[in-house]
Amino acid sequence: MKVDGQHRRSLWPSARGDALYVIDQRQLPHTLAIARLDRLDQVRSAIAEMWVRGAPLIGATAAYGIALQCRQAADDAALRAAQSSLDSARPTAVNLAWATRRMVDALLPLALAQRAAAAWELADAIAEEDVAINAAIGRHGLALLQALAARSPGGTLNVLTHCNAGWLATVDWGTALAPVYLAQASGLAVHVWVDETRPRNQGASLTAWELGQQGVAHTVIADNTGGHLMQRGQVDLVIVGADRVTARGDVCNKIGTYLKALAARDNGLPFYVAMPFSTLDLGLSDGLAEIPIEHRSARELTHVSGRDGAGQHTEVQVVPDGSPALNPAFDVTPARLVSGLITERGVLVADEAVLRGAASG
Ligand code: MRU
């Protein structure tokens, strides 16, 4: 997608194949900072500290982490240690373990001398695939948006989204926002309600920034506002991303997603989840009981960061000294509240037989 009119991706390898460049998303929307990662430990830190975030992007980043490790040591023990180090960086988004497993499974059967080149090639392939998959999600989602827009010709379609499931959360296009970008390109009048997404404000800082860069009409709202807008007919549908979807279609996504699904159901609105198949975890069934939920530092809640009047990045405390804070980063929306899963293979019902069938087909 575009930044200041120039095409960008959220990560790209160095021309010499010896480093990975990423956008340090902690500094957006105020500064577009590029970070160079040369080693596995840097890649792990970039994932854990959320320089890069979003399920598909941390998967692709981790794939390059394995490739960078291979430049240092590519024996079986080194590969397995790199895999477990990366997997432990963030526990909820299954795309991370999906990508490292794919890398290690492909590399272990190869001779040691072949591994570094093969690893780089496969990491490139995973990144390219992500772009193609998201474009396909966009096309399937666009058909949904067009069908909804046809019900009120001439009007503007109002989409509500939570967190950031745009191009910054993937290699390019995004998942939940890909249909929006294609809708805009096709001339459909679309407007996005952007949940701020406390505590880290990925909506206010990242989604608003990328929609603004693409020229998509949008409005940032407090996380508590969506239900109110739905009751007043100002939302046509909700589209969110996912970090892990179980075999029966339970959806784990950024904390607060579940409340949006409840509000959508109460107001008779469609609640769609956009996800690549790499987000599907067929090994799990009951999302609430089985998906590991990442708990992050209380400081993300007790403090808010941003730009002050002098243009300096600053952080302020908003919670009294000594008040404990709890910060689960994700929640689970049961399949029964999901209108459909927008995938690269089409829009699917959140149902075990459907998902297993589509995964094997
Ligand atoms: O904690 P984050 O910012 O990595 O959480 C991101 C989300 O919850 C996204 O909605 C999800 O990863 C899907 S991204 C296409």
Side-chain angles (χ1 to χ4, degrees):
M1 303 303 289
K2 296 234 167 70
V3 179
D4 294 331
Q6 288 197 324
H7 182 257
R8 286 238 177 227
R9 285 184 173 180
S10 57
L11 59 67
W12 59 98
S14 67
R16 292 173 51 186
D18 57 355
L20 178 66
Y21 291 100
V22 297
I23 297 174
D24 179 354
Q25 299 189 22
R26 298 169 308 168
Q27 304 201 42
L28 288 171
H30 305 303
T31 307
L32 180 66
I34 309 300
R36 181 185 158 108
L37 309 173
D38 300 281
R39 298 189 317 268
L40 172 73
D41 61 317
Q42 295 171 329
V43 170
R44 189 189 187 280
S45 299
I47 293 171
E49 294 165 21
M50 294 178 66
W51 305 21
V52 291
R53 27 68 50 205
L57 181 59
I58 61 177
T61 305
Y64 281 106
I66 299 277
L68 286 169
Q69 170 58 46
C70 286
R71 293 177 56 81
Q72 310 298 320
D75 56 274
D76 292 14
L79 283 178
R80 290 213 167 90
Q83 180 180 21
S84 76
S85 164
L86 287 164
D87 288 356
S88 68
R90 294 197 73 192
T92 301
V94 75
N95 307 60
L96 180 55
W98 168 86
T100 59
R101 193 182 321 115
R102 188 166 159 190
M103 292 291 291
V104 171
D105 286 355
L107 296 172
L108 286 178
L110 302 182
L112 204 56
Q114 296 176 322
R115 289 182 180 178
W120 207 261
E121 218 170 276
L122 183 54
D124 282 346
I126 287 173
E128 289 303 327
E129 265 174 34
D130 183 66
V131 178
I133 285 168
N134 297 327
I137 288 173
R139 288 191 293 275
H140 294 299
L142 173 63
L144 281 177
L145 297 190
Q146 286 170 328
L148 281 169
R151 291 187 197 167
S152 42
T156 295
L157 195 71
N158 284 293
V159 178
L160 186 143
T161 194
H162 191 68
C163 195
N164 173 262
W167 70 269
L168 287 169
T170 64
V171 179
D172 206 351
W173 285 109
T175 57
L177 294 188
V180 170
Y181 291 132
L182 290 184
Q184 185 207 29
S186 76
L188 198 144
V190 61
H191 165 265
V192 183
W193 296 111
V194 179
D195 278 354
E196 61 175 346
T197 317
R198 281 281 285 146
R200 287 186 69 100
N201 288 319
Q202 290 96 325
S205 301
L206 304 177
T207 300
W209 180 77
E210 59 164 275
L211 289 172
Q213 289 288 335
Q214 302 311 127
V216 176
H218 64 281
T219 307
V220 178
I221 52 174
D223 288 328
N224 305 322
T225 304
H228 168 81
L229 295 173
M230 290 180 200
Q231 288 175 318
R232 279 156 183 75
Q234 291 174 267
V235 178
D236 293 301
L237 77 161
V238 179
I239 312 181
V240 298
D243 288 84
R244 196 185 292 233
V245 175
T246 68
R248 73 181 193 192
D250 292 343
V251 171
C252 185
N253 190 49
K254 180 54 55 192
I255 191 81
T257 301
Y258 170 54
L259 291 177
K260 294 300 134 72
L262 285 175
R265 174 57 57 93
D266 192 48
N267 288 281
L269 294 170
F271 177 88
Y272 285 103
V273 175
M275 61 141 219
F277 264 77
S278 52
T279 300
L280 184 62
D281 186 348
L282 289 175
L284 302 187
S285 176
D286 179 346
L288 208 51
E290 298 175 63
I291 296 176
I293 300 291
E294 175 182 9
H295 278 248
R296 295 189 61 86
S297 159
R299 195 177 176 90
E300 292 184 348
L301 203 58
T302 58
H303 291 65
V304 175
S305 63
R307 188 170 62 182
D308 67 15
Q312 296 300 310
H313 187 268
T314 188
E315 190 183 67
V316 294
Q317 182 178 332
V318 290
V319 169
D321 286 338
S323 284
L326 181 73
N327 187 14
F330 300 95
D331 63 22
V332 175
T333 298
R336 66 188 153 77
L337 297 177
V338 176
S339 307
L341 299 164
I342 310 172
T343 77
E344 65 271 36
R345 301 179 196 178
V347 181
L348 305 175
V349 179
D351 166 86
E352 180 147 5
V354 172
L355 291 178
R356 287 197 187 278
S360 63

